[in-house]
Amino acid sequence: MSTTHLFAARLGWPDGMVTAGSVLKHPADTALLIRNADILYGGALQMRRGMQMVGSQIKESNIPKAILGLAERRTSAGAELVMAAGTKLYAWTVPTTTTASVAGSPTAISGATGLTTGLPWHFVRWRALDGSRNWLIGTNGTDTPRVYDGSTLAALSATVPGNFGAIETFQNYLWGTVNTDVYYSDLLDPTVWNSTNWRIPIDTGDGADIQAIRKHGDNLFVFGRTTVHTINGADPASFGLSPLSAAHGTVAQETVRSTKQGLFFLDRSGVFATNGGIPVRASLSIDDVFRTLNQSDLSKAQAVVYQHPITKREEYRLAVTQERDTQVNTLLIRKYLDTQDVYRGWHVDTGVQSRVMAVGKDPNFLDVLYSGQENGVLLRHDQVQGD
């Protein structure tokens, strides 16, 4: 399908056909019935770009293993993708040119054996101010937090206060959560944990574990299932805790993402956004879509902030599971997050399995979206015309 410009009329929802002299006059969400197509500048449509398998399928004992964690680690020489699957972590070297082959097998990382299988992994990047310690730090809530330095996976530290459920970097400290407590490391050193200043207890409302922590602006946001708190300050002497919401939270930490329009996160009732104030619903126009989701699988939801390869505009892409399915298979895309853009509506893509997602960079430093699948396959999105 070639690019199509809709000038005189455009499909609207829920009121049918929207007619206006210019698409710039149309409400932001008048294209919700248009599925599986790229919405470009000023109402232009283009066939959705397809996906490409990269590397080879991950198997253990000849059995495909679901990819349950995915992150990019960059060096001066290039980049590699790190994947959690089965009882191991794997690395796949990203091609150094845009035309290079995407073949090659993911390689098991040295030291990455005996890990608890079937658990989602969460990663953060850590790099010292002098460029050393170019690490990827990961946790799954059950095993000891691990650090990967490009060659070996090892325990992060013998003094960590527990097996973190969520991790983040903030103000040159590494932060981690254990049950309803937030901990932070020594300044500039994620391997040292000082018990005299490391613990901040959080009232999560329902007593459940902290679900996510994420930095945005000058704050570290702490999420329960129905609560949000913020931590601000630059050091232990000034760190302060403030309640933000007792009505909304998240059950899916990988949906909490910092964007140009605020910190977006998935609540049980939809997507919300905050810049430090009371969270506001960002998904009102697609409430009907949220009513068709598999509520028991919301914890599997994933999101990334991604610059579209054609429009070069930032998008929030949320991968969810439909109510009759058990695999993440639908993308809800908040288009054009740049504040100067006219179109800021939602768009729906179906049939896109994305158990985990990560954004990397190609050799030209443009965003590349990857997703890991339940069957151990790694895909690169938006790489071929039409799927």
Side-chain angles (χ1 to χ4, degrees):
M1 180 175 72
S2 61
T3 300
T4 302
H5 295 271
L6 307 179
F7 291 104
R10 185 163 152 190
L11 280 176
W13 183 91
D15 300 316
M17 191 71 72
V18 173
T19 57
S22 167
V23 294
L24 300 183
K25 297 180 181 179
H26 293 170
D29 294 295
T30 55
L32 286 174
L33 295 181
I34 303 174
R35 305 289 177 97
N36 305 324
D38 274 339
I39 302 176
L40 305 177
Y41 306 96
L45 299 181
Q46 177 175 283
M47 180 182 292
R48 182 177 76 183
R49 296 167 71 87
M51 294 166 284
Q52 182 180 28
M53 180 176 173
V54 298
S56 57
Q57 187 178 35
I58 295 178
K59 298 180 179 180
E60 292 180 5
S61 300
N62 208 35
I63 299 175
K65 294 297 179 180
I67 301 175
L68 299 178
L70 183 62
E72 185 193 58
R73 177 182 173 275
R74 296 196 64 82
T75 69
S76 58
E80 60 184 345
L81 289 179
V82 173
M83 295 161 276
T87 59
K88 302 176 184 178
L89 263 63
Y90 295 83
W92 178 75
T93 302
V94 177
T96 55
T97 67
T98 55
T99 57
S101 170
V102 291
S105 300
T107 303
I109 294 172
S110 175
T113 59
L115 303 175
T116 303
T117 188
L119 296 177
W121 278 76
H122 313 285
F123 296 99
V124 296
R125 300 181 182 92
W126 180 277
R127 192 162 191 164
L129 297 179
D130 63 2
S132 62
R133 288 186 166 183
N134 183 9
W135 292 348
L136 201 60
I137 301 173
T139 187
N140 62 17
T142 297
D143 298 321
T144 302
R146 300 295 209 273
V147 57
Y148 174 57
D149 63 2
S151 61
T152 303
L153 191 76
L156 174 64
S157 170
T159 61
V160 292
N163 300 330
F164 298 142
I167 52 176
E168 179 63 294
T169 60
F170 179 64
Q171 302 290 28
N172 293 313
Y173 297 84
L174 179 66
W175 298 69
T177 69
V178 180
N179 301 325
T180 58
D181 294 323
V182 180
Y183 298 85
Y184 55 91
S185 71
D186 268 16
L187 179 66
L188 301 173
D189 194 343
T191 69
V192 178
W193 297 79
N194 184 348
S195 60
T196 63
N197 65 6
W198 68 9
R199 175 176 173 266
I200 301 176
I202 304 295
D203 179 5
T204 60
D206 59 3
D209 290 351
I210 295 168
Q211 301 294 303
I213 51 176
R214 193 75 69 204
K215 63 184 173 186
H216 176 70
D218 295 328
N219 294 307
L220 180 71
F221 291 75
V222 184
F223 290 83
R225 294 189 299 193
T226 59
T227 60
V228 185
H229 291 75
T230 59
I231 296 173
N232 55 27
D235 52 44
S238 61
F239 287 148
L241 177 69
S242 302
L244 185 64
S245 175
H248 301 291
T250 191
V251 293
Q253 69 168 292
E254 293 298 333
T255 69
V256 185
R257 295 288 181 245
S258 179
T259 80
K260 295 176 181 178
Q261 286 190 343
L263 186 70
F264 278 51
F265 62 94
L266 177 64
D267 179 82
R268 286 199 175 276
S269 58
V271 175
F272 286 75
T274 176
N275 272 309
I278 299 299
V280 297
R281 189 186 299 272
S283 59
L284 185 62
S285 61
I286 53 171
D287 273 359
D288 276 10
V289 176
F290 277 94
R291 283 191 281 270
T292 69
L293 299 186
N294 184 337
Q295 293 292 316
S296 64
D297 263 12
L298 280 185
S299 63
K300 291 183 180 179
Q302 299 264 325
V304 293
V305 178
Y306 171 61
Q307 187 181 79
H308 192 281
I310 297 176
T311 66
K312 303 299 188 292
R313 283 162 165 79
E314 191 178 85
E315 302 174 350
Y316 175 81
R317 293 196 173 194
L318 173 65
V320 292
T321 306
Q322 291 294 316
E323 60 183 345
R324 292 182 176 84
D325 296 315
T326 58
Q327 294 187 2
V328 178
N329 56 11
T330 300
L331 283 178
L332 308 180
I333 305 171
R334 174 77 172 187
K335 305 289 286 186
Y336 301 178
L337 291 172
D338 299 47
T339 56
Q340 72 271 21
D341 287 322
V342 173
Y343 182 75
R344 302 188 189 98
W346 286 88
H347 176 61
V348 181
D349 274 1
T350 59
V352 183
Q353 294 190 12
S354 300
R355 182 61 182 86
V356 291
M357 296 190 294
V359 174
K361 297 290 185 182
D362 71 10
N364 297 319
F365 292 96
L366 299 177
D367 279 3
V368 179
L369 177 59
Y370 297 95
S371 66
Q373 313 303 309
E374 296 276 1
N375 63 357
V377 168
L378 179 66
L379 298 177
R380 189 165 66 177
H381 292 234
D382 297 329
Q383 296 299 305
V384 291
Q385 184 63 55
D387 66 345

